[in-house]
Amino acid sequence: MSVKHHISDDFLIDYASGSLSEGWSLAVASHLALCPECRRRLSAMEGAAGALLDKAGDSLNEDEAWARFKSRAIDVRVDEVKTAIAAPGSTAVLPEPLRSYLGGDLADLKWRALGRGAYQILIDTKDTETQVRLLRIPAGKPVPEHTHVGRELTLVLAGSFRDGDDLFARGDIEEADGDLLHTPTATEGEDCICLAVTEAPLKFSSWIVRMMQPILKI
Ligand SMILES: [Zn+2]
C-alpha cells in the first residue's frame, strides 16, 4: 500500500536545512523512512540547491552561502535516512530513527495506560519545543482527548485511523493545526499505533498562570 498523505514542503525544507527541532525532525525522518516519494522530493531539493551553487561560483553572497549550507545539511540527512532504510530483510514495524529512540521494536516497548484502552510512550528528546509520544489506540476507538497549541504531526506506523473523510494508513502523516477541532478514530480490525509530535505547551513560572493555562488554552 502506498503512502497517500505526505509531509508538507514547509516541514521538508526546514528538515533539509537543519532548522527543524529534534521532535519534528524525528517525525519527518520516520515518514521519509516509509515514503519513497518524499525521499525523491528531498533528493530533488538537494539537486536544486547543488545546481544553484554551481552557478554561484566563488563569489557567494549571503543567499548563496545559505544555499550552500542547506545543500550540505541535505547531504548529511539523506545519507542518514538511506542508511537507516537499507537494513536488509527488516520486518520491523518501527522505522529506524524511532527504534533508536525507543531501544527496540514493538515487542520491546513498555506502554503506559492512558485510559479507555489507549496507551502511550513518551519519547525523550533534548528538544523543549515539542512533545513526542507513541500512541496505541484500540481498534474502532477515538484518539483520547488531548489539547495542544500550534502544530501537530501524526505518523501512522500500524493499523489506520480516519479523520473526517480522510483515511490514514501506515506511512501516512497528518499535519494539523491546534485551532482545528478533530477527532481521529482508529479503524476497526486493528489497533492503530502512531507517532504524535505536538508543540509543547508554553511553560510559565507563575503558579497562577500555570493554573489558568488549561482554561485559557495557552
Ligand atoms: Zn511522503
Side-chain angles (χ1 to χ4, degrees):
M1 204 188 327
S2 66
V3 176
K4 291 192 176 63
H5 299 274
H6 302 279
I7 194 72
S8 67
D9 281 341
D10 282 354
F11 267 111
L12 198 57
I13 289 168
D14 285 351
Y15 174 80
S17 69
S19 60
L20 215 51
S21 69
E22 189 182 354
W24 302 120
S25 291
L26 182 56
V28 176
S30 299
H31 175 74
L32 286 168
L34 299 173
C35 182
E37 189 174 328
C38 287
R39 292 201 296 276
R40 276 195 293 275
R41 286 169 65 208
L42 191 63
S43 294
M45 283 181 191
E46 176 190 24
L52 207 82
L53 281 183
D54 288 343
K55 280 189 182 166
D58 289 333
S59 54
L60 292 174
N61 65 28
E62 199 176 319
D63 286 346
E64 289 155 357
W66 172 233
R68 172 169 289 186
F69 167 77
K70 275 191 173 184
S71 79
R72 282 185 183 156
I74 291 168
D75 277 344
V76 172
R77 280 153 193 274
V78 168
D79 286 348
E80 279 173 3
V81 172
K82 277 180 188 159
T83 311
I85 58 173
S90 173
T91 54
V93 174
L94 302 178
E96 174 42 48
L98 264 180
R99 286 205 304 277
S100 294
Y101 275 81
L102 289 160
D105 203 22
L106 283 189
D108 309 304
L109 301 181
K110 305 230 173 346
W111 294 95
R112 282 174 182 273
L114 269 179
R116 300 188 175 201
Y119 292 83
Q120 75 168 0
I121 296 171
L122 290 171
I123 300 176
D124 268 341
T125 67
K126 293 179 200 72
D127 174 0
T128 54
E129 193 184 304
T130 59
Q131 279 181 342
V132 185
R133 68 192 76 212
L134 211 59
L135 283 171
R136 198 173 93 204
I137 313 303
K141 295 286 190 296
V143 171
E145 224 165 281
H146 59 296
T147 56
H148 62 89
V149 287
R151 296 175 296 176
E152 178 184 41
L153 286 178
T154 310
L155 171 70
V156 178
L157 300 163
S160 58
F161 71 78
R162 269 187 194 286
D163 196 355
D165 292 334
D166 290 321
L167 178 70
F168 294 81
R170 178 167 167 81
D172 284 326
I173 193 161
E174 182 181 46
E175 214 171 304
D177 200 277
D179 302 334
L180 187 78
L181 191 67
H182 67 133
T183 314
T185 304
T187 42
E188 297 288 348
E190 191 183 352
D191 288 358
C192 180
I193 294 172
C194 47
L195 174 72
V197 182
T198 50
E199 256 166 66
L202 297 170
K203 291 187 175 64
F204 295 98
S205 50
S206 153
W207 66 268
I208 198 155
V209 176
R210 276 205 307 273
M211 202 176 74
M212 297 301 284
Q213 224 175 323
I215 301 160
L216 299 171
K217 297 210 166 42
I218 50 175

